[in-house]
């Protein structure tokens, strides 16, 4: 018997939805461009996610919480053969990314502007090649650690949608969250850490464009870890 998926009513979203007022052009992007790129979760996901994109793609890459969008835009521009799904509930970040998508005429990006777990539950089994979780909110206070996105239930979600051999890439400058992620993935039977030496997690991912958040962390004296886990 198939185990029922976790009900959304049992989970909560933590984080801001809006920041400073949008400029007129940003508001226009949200009104007119986002609807054409937004995933329609009211419809069943296509068996082949490549059909979400107007041009042929060979791989699917999901980025959860893309922030300023620097990484997502960089990857999408350099790799048109990959279809990217970006999830970000923060309105200002979404508006900024939409401007970049329009300016660069990117056709290989689809978006969702709400809770990432809704997308994870919508995606078909073994349909995604990469999952990026880059500098997620660390919830540094111990009493808030349960809010961290890396959890047993979300790793179960990752394991379901990742193809065998697919990769989960995690980056953070917060030691407690790095250790938290290592422990959770170590204890999950579906994932193996790919690192063999220290340089493997101290060196940014191949093709890494850096981000403003990463630059801020370095200015404040914090180093980053770049963890890659393989779906076994």
């Amino acid at each position: 018997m198939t185990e029922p998926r976790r009900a959304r009513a049992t989970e909560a979203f933590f984080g801001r939805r809006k920041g400073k007022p949008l400029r007129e052009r940003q508001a226009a992007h949200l009104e007119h461009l986002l609807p054409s790129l937004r995933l329609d979760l009211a419809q069943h996901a296509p068996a082949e996610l490549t059909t979400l994109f107007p041009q042929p793609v060979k791989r699917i890459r999901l980025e959860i919480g893309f922030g300023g969008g620097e990484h997502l835009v960089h990857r999408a521009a350099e790799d048109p053969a990959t279809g990217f799904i970006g999830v970000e509930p923060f309105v200002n970040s979404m508006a900024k990314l939409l401007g970049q998508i329009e300016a660069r005429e990117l056709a290989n990006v689809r978006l969702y502007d709400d809770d990432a777990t809704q997308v994870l539950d919508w995606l078909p089994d073994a349909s995604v090649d990469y999952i990026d979780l880059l500098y997620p909110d660390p919830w540094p206070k111990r009493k808030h650690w349960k809010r961290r996105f890396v959890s047993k239930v979300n790793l179960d979600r990752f394991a379901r949608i990742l193809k065998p051999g697919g990769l989960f890439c995690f980056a953070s400058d917060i030691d407690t969250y790095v250790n938290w992620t290592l422990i959770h993935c170590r204890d999950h039977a579906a994932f193996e850490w790919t690192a063999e030496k220290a340089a493997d997690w101290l060196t940014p991912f191949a093709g890494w464009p850096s981000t403003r958040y990463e630059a801020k962390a370095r200015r404040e004296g914090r180093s980053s870890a770049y963890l890659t886990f393989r779906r076994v």
Side-chain angles (χ1 to χ4, degrees):
M1 180 177 179
T2 303
E3 182 179 346
R5 293 183 186 174
R6 190 178 177 91
R8 287 294 313 141
T10 66
E11 299 180 65
F13 170 77
F14 301 100
R16 292 189 303 158
R17 297 280 188 176
K18 295 182 180 179
K20 62 184 179 181
L22 298 175
R23 297 190 294 273
E24 183 177 349
R25 188 169 181 80
Q26 290 177 319
H29 285 146
L30 287 173
E31 182 179 358
H32 301 294
L33 181 56
L34 180 58
S36 67
L37 301 178
R38 181 193 286 123
L39 298 178
D40 183 3
L41 271 56
Q43 304 296 322
H44 288 295
E48 293 292 336
L49 293 183
T50 56
T51 62
L52 292 171
F53 304 90
Q55 299 175 0
V57 297
K58 298 178 180 179
R59 296 167 295 276
I60 301 296
R61 189 160 189 159
L62 169 67
E63 183 167 347
I64 296 172
F66 54 72
E70 300 103 318
H71 177 265
L72 181 56
V73 166
H74 173 83
R75 295 286 191 190
E78 74 171 4
D79 186 9
T82 295
F84 291 83
I85 297 174
V87 183
E88 177 56 71
F90 189 52
V91 172
N92 300 71
S93 293
M94 181 63 74
K96 181 178 179 181
L97 178 70
L98 287 167
Q100 288 294 309
I101 289 174
E102 181 182 65
R104 298 191 182 211
E105 299 181 344
L106 299 176
N108 58 332
V109 179
R110 290 295 175 266
L111 302 169
Y112 190 67
D113 56 343
D114 208 324
D115 191 337
T117 61
Q118 297 173 359
V119 176
L120 292 171
D121 289 344
W122 178 79
L123 291 168
D125 294 355
S127 60
V128 173
D129 297 271
Y130 299 88
I131 296 175
D132 293 312
L133 184 63
L134 309 173
Y135 292 96
D137 194 326
W139 297 106
K141 295 182 179 179
R142 184 181 291 270
K143 66 180 180 180
H144 292 151
W145 284 4
K146 61 182 178 293
R147 298 182 179 182
R148 289 175 169 174
F149 199 83
V150 175
S151 64
K152 169 64 166 60
V153 66
N154 282 337
L155 288 177
D156 286 345
R157 288 177 162 118
F158 287 5
R160 185 185 67 80
I161 68 169
L162 274 173
K163 297 176 182 178
L167 300 179
F168 163 38
C169 300
F170 174 92
S172 179
D173 61 312
I174 304 301
D175 290 346
T176 59
Y177 204 173
V178 172
N179 293 336
W180 169 280
T181 300
L182 285 169
I183 291 170
H184 276 71
C185 289
R186 178 201 67 189
D187 293 343
H188 199 291
F191 293 96
E192 64 177 8
W193 190 23
T194 62
E196 297 179 354
K197 56 187 183 300
D200 292 337
W201 71 84
L202 297 176
T203 304
F205 306 118
W208 178 253
S210 190
T211 66
R212 287 179 301 163
Y213 184 91
E214 181 181 61
K216 178 176 181 290
R218 289 179 175 174
R219 288 196 303 271
E220 295 175 358
R222 297 190 304 277
S223 59
S224 299
Y226 308 88
L227 311 180
T228 302
F229 303 93
R230 182 180 295 109
R231 173 68 167 95
V232 296

